Amino acid sequence: MASVSKPIPSVTPEMAEFYEGTRRGQLMVRKCEGCGDLHFPAHSFCSLCMSTRAKWVPVSGRGEIYSYNIMHQVYHPGFASEVPYAVVVVKLEEGPKFVSNVVGIKPHEIRIGMPVEVTFEKMSDEVMLPKFRPRAT
Ligand SMILES: [Zn+2]
């Protein structure tokens, strides 16, 4: 049976530095140079102070499960073998939230507030996708 590849995010110019970071095993978020707010993904301007100046800064990669949804439908054939899977929102220790997946546990084992840390899944030579796995507290 032919397997269908998962969709790989395209590396847009504003995300190029982010993916350079993930290839080094480093998770980064945007830091507003106007007010210091940390956010992800990149915005064209800061929602707090309207500054258009921001830079990528490294973060710890540690956080906790903020919310999650278990997907039972196959929305893309590349995920057919993984249903059901969970889409989680991870709140990083530094504040920004990431929409991602948790690896290493079953969807029904996910709990709100569960401590997690980043890990990277190689999608292509260019793209390492941040995922999260449970961590000991
Ligand atoms: Zn700002």
Side-chain angles (χ1 to χ4, degrees):
M1 195 176 82
S3 70
V4 180
S5 301
K6 293 179 193 177
I8 297 173
S10 56
V11 178
T12 56
E14 60 268 28
M15 291 298 287
E17 199 176 331
F18 174 81
Y19 285 110
E20 278 172 28
T22 65
R23 288 198 295 274
R24 295 192 304 266
Q26 178 71 68
L27 188 67
M28 296 196 289
V29 299
R30 290 291 272 181
K31 181 175 187 176
C32 171
E33 294 187 40
C35 68
D37 184 55
L38 299 174
H39 55 259
F40 185 87
H43 303 316
S44 51
F45 61 89
C46 175
S47 60
L48 297 181
C49 74
M50 305 297 156
S51 170
T52 55
R53 292 173 53 82
K55 62 181 177 185
W56 290 103
V57 294
V59 289
S60 65
R62 289 190 302 272
E64 62 178 41
I65 303 290
Y66 181 78
S67 68
Y68 65 96
N69 253 309
I70 296 177
M71 303 301 193
H72 295 278
Q73 306 280 333
V74 177
Y75 293 106
H76 186 283
F79 294 94
S81 65
E82 297 185 17
V83 169
Y85 63 95
V87 174
V88 299
V89 177
V90 171
K91 187 172 192 292
L92 298 176
E93 284 182 349
E94 293 84 359
K97 298 188 187 80
F98 260 82
V99 177
S100 184
N101 303 112
V102 173
V103 297
I105 55 171
K106 299 268 188 290
H108 70 264
E109 295 172 326
I110 296 170
R111 298 287 179 270
I112 301 290
M114 176 180 275
V116 291
E117 64 186 0
V118 76
T119 179
F120 295 94
E121 184 176 328
K122 186 170 184 172
M123 306 296 287
S124 70
D125 285 341
E126 208 174 20
V127 175
M128 297 279 285
L129 262 195
K131 304 273 172 134
F132 289 85
R133 63 183 175 210
R135 69 176 158 90
T137 46

